Amino acid sequence: MTTMTETSARFREFKMPDVGEGLTEAEILKWFVQPGDTVTDGQVVCEVETAKAAVELPIPFDGVVHELRFPEGTTVDVGQVIIAIDVAPAAAAPAQEPVEAPEAEAEPKGRTPVLVGYGVAESSTKRRPRKGAAAAPEAAAVAAAVQAELNGHGAPAPAAVPPQSGAPAGGRPLAKPPVRKLAKDLGIDLATVVPTGKDGIITREDVHAAAAPAAAEAPAAVASPVAPAPAVTEAPGVVSDSARETRIPVKGVRKAIAQAMVGSAFTAPHVTEFVTVDVTRTMKLAAELKEDRDMAGVRVNPLLIIAKALLVAIKRNPEVNAAWDEANQEIVQKHYVNLGIAAATPRGLIVPNIKDAHDKTLPQLAEALGELVATARDGKTSPAAMAGGTVTITNVGVFGVDTGTPILNPGESAILAVGAIKLQPWVHKGKVKPRQVTTLALSFDHRLVDGELGSKVLADVAAILEQPKRLITWA
């Protein structure tokens, strides 16, 4: 009989960690393991969404999954146990060994260990061919493939499985965590996706291919026998019977955005100023930099030069780079610039920042900007990357918008909105000519930035974009 001490020693609990700075809760987006699966130290077991980002959680010890304490979609407080691991599964082995028929003794003793829930099904099928000899090898191979994928091993998938979908014979579709996330964001059921990857693994291209016809053939997809669960079950909202309203729970990043924007709008007195500027020379400079050998391998676009222009303007007007400390009634001057870049993602708006952007050369700034955008697009931005920003740029021009009145990121003093760059009639050297023109909008905290200071910063940015050589003369 197993004693209480032995039982407690066998099972270890993993609690929801604080994956950010002082976060109190997180939502479990996806479990990558199920009870009975073997896990190893460092293996990712689930993906959670905090108020700042989606984060994958690795397990810190080896063992077999004993219990998942919360289902997907549950918001869990930091410190609560989310999974229990059996770290000594061998201790329970004698009690779990079934009594086999005499023919079972001929089974090879050196077979590869399998998971609880998969191994039993595989062995029983092999030992009773009279119940379906033709299906036995296929079912066994499928179970082994599912087990290998869940455990992170590269065991080859059986060639006998017909590539009708990504779900092996009632098992879990074979796909890596980023691919599962992409499918969830696009509302694609992986069980309906035809895998083309090695060993029957679903790739990103497979998911995109499934998403294309899914939009045009939604009714057929719902009625498909391969996907018994309609796509609507994956939607984050609840659709009413009349289909005239959809209620979406406010949580995760969206909840954080709402709280931050309300807090900022009703705490910091906002002032927004506008300026329209001829950026034709800036566009020419961007085109020339793309051909420069020193900029090889990095992405060059107008946003890069705008970011550099803002950094130079801050250097010329350092008082704008500050924060208001309400508790201590102090203005905190920042002698560094962590430049935030507002990024739209499937989960909502996030503002990661480039640390110490003021110290970076133009190639270094271009590289950091490219990495920031790529990480945000893939949904891999960490909470640390979004902490500590001082000023922000939001490029609304990518949506064809002329300008806007941006709301300050909490704790920051200013935010620059960049509108669409359009060919417009402009007076240039006394004549009306078509020129590349854009509108800039600077919002700032009027508690610590006076109108004069805010106007100087905006005017400096505009002057640099009109005459990019000022990047040299003013820097």
Side-chain angles (χ1 to χ4, degrees):
M1 176 179 292
T2 304
T3 65
M4 290 296 292
T5 303
E6 291 171 341
T7 301
S8 60
R10 275 186 55 198
F11 299 101
R12 294 188 63 180
E13 298 175 332
F14 179 60
K15 299 178 180 180
M16 176 69 75
D18 179 2
V19 295
E21 298 180 350
L23 297 176
T24 60
E25 62 182 21
E27 178 190 353
I28 298 175
L29 292 179
K30 185 72 176 179
W31 282 111
F32 299 133
V33 296
Q34 295 297 324
D37 292 353
T38 300
V39 294
T40 56
D41 186 0
Q43 178 180 337
V44 173
V45 295
C46 68
E47 181 183 33
V48 301
E49 182 181 46
T50 69
K52 295 184 176 182
V55 181
E56 293 181 340
L57 298 183
I59 198 76
F61 33 79
D62 300 336
V64 174
V65 178
H66 175 67
E67 181 184 10
L68 305 181
R69 297 291 176 86
F70 297 96
E72 295 174 356
T74 304
T75 299
V76 181
D77 292 335
V78 169
Q80 282 192 282
V81 177
I82 60 174
I83 185 173
I85 302 297
D86 185 351
V87 295
Q96 295 179 356
E97 286 188 4
V99 178
E100 300 292 347
E103 59 267 25
E105 297 176 359
E107 187 74 19
K109 299 296 183 180
R111 67 182 183 90
T112 303
V114 294
L115 301 181
V116 176
Y118 297 111
V120 174
E122 178 180 349
S123 341
S124 60
T125 306
K126 285 184 177 180
R127 290 163 186 159
R128 293 172 176 81
R130 62 184 180 276
K131 292 186 178 181
E138 178 181 327
V142 165
V146 173
Q147 170 202 333
E149 195 276 334
L150 291 176
N151 289 323
H153 303 309
V161 179
Q164 296 179 353
S165 71
R172 190 164 177 254
L174 306 183
K176 295 180 179 179
V179 178
R180 295 184 184 279
K181 175 184 173 300
L182 174 64
K184 181 176 181 180
D185 292 341
L186 296 177
I188 299 298
D189 185 354
L190 285 177
T192 66
V193 178
V194 177
T196 62
K198 184 180 179 181
D199 301 332
I201 295 177
I202 297 173
T203 65
R204 295 177 67 90
E205 291 71 21
D206 297 336
V207 175
H208 283 300
E217 302 175 7
V222 172
S224 173
V226 182
V232 70
T233 59
E234 296 292 332
V238 178
V239 182
S240 64
D241 293 339
S242 61
R244 296 180 65 181
E245 294 181 354
T246 300
R247 292 184 174 269
I248 303 174
V250 179
K251 54 186 178 181
V253 174
R254 175 53 57 189
K255 181 178 180 181
I257 293 172
Q259 293 173 342
M261 293 299 98
V262 170
S264 176
F266 293 98
T267 301
H270 285 55
V271 173
T272 304
E273 295 186 339
F274 308 88
V275 63
T276 302
V277 58
D278 176 6
V279 294
T280 303
R281 291 185 177 92
T282 291
M283 300 300 287
K284 290 181 179 179
L285 176 60
E288 292 173 359
L289 288 175
K290 290 180 180 179
E291 306 300 326
D292 194 300
R293 289 186 301 175
D294 292 334
M295 303 298 289
V298 297
R299 184 179 180 185
V300 177
N301 55 23
L303 181 60
L304 170 63
I305 302 175
I306 293 169
K308 192 65 176 179
L310 179 58
L311 292 172
V312 172
I314 292 173
K315 184 177 181 180
R316 287 166 53 84
N317 306 276
E319 299 85 0
V320 76
N321 190 39
W324 183 271
D325 187 342
E326 181 67 28
N328 296 313
Q329 287 295 292
E330 295 175 339
I331 294 176
V332 183
Q333 291 284 347
K334 306 293 180 66
H335 304 298
Y336 58 91
V337 180
N338 290 345
L339 182 61
I341 304 294
T345 73
R347 288 192 173 91
L349 176 71
I350 63 173
V351 188
N353 58 75
I354 300 173
K355 309 298 183 186
D356 295 323
H358 63 291
D359 282 338
K360 297 188 182 297
T361 64
L362 196 63
Q364 291 172 341
L365 187 63
E367 182 179 2
L369 188 60
E371 292 176 355
L372 179 148
V373 172
T375 303
R377 185 185 298 116
D378 294 338
K380 299 299 181 182
T381 302
S382 67
M386 292 182 280
T390 59
V391 295
T392 291
I393 295 177
T394 176
N395 185 11
V396 297
V398 296
F399 306 108
V401 176
D402 291 334
T403 188
T405 55
I407 297 178
L408 293 169
N409 205 31
E412 299 183 8
S413 59
I415 178 171
L416 178 70
V418 182
I421 299 175
K422 299 178 179 179
L423 195 65
Q424 296 183 16
W426 193 262
V427 178
H428 178 68
K429 296 181 179 180
K431 297 181 179 181
V432 177
K433 296 182 179 180
R435 305 285 287 180
Q436 299 282 354
V437 178
T438 190
T439 300
L440 306 176
L442 182 72
S443 292
F444 50 86
D445 187 342
H446 215 348
R447 294 175 299 180
L448 50 91
V449 179
D450 294 332
E452 178 186 10
L453 176 58
S455 299
K456 285 182 176 180
V457 172
L458 183 59
D460 281 354
V461 174
I464 294 172
L465 296 181
E466 187 174 18
Q467 293 284 354
K469 64 182 181 182
R470 291 190 173 101
L471 286 172
I472 300 174
T473 58
W474 287 0

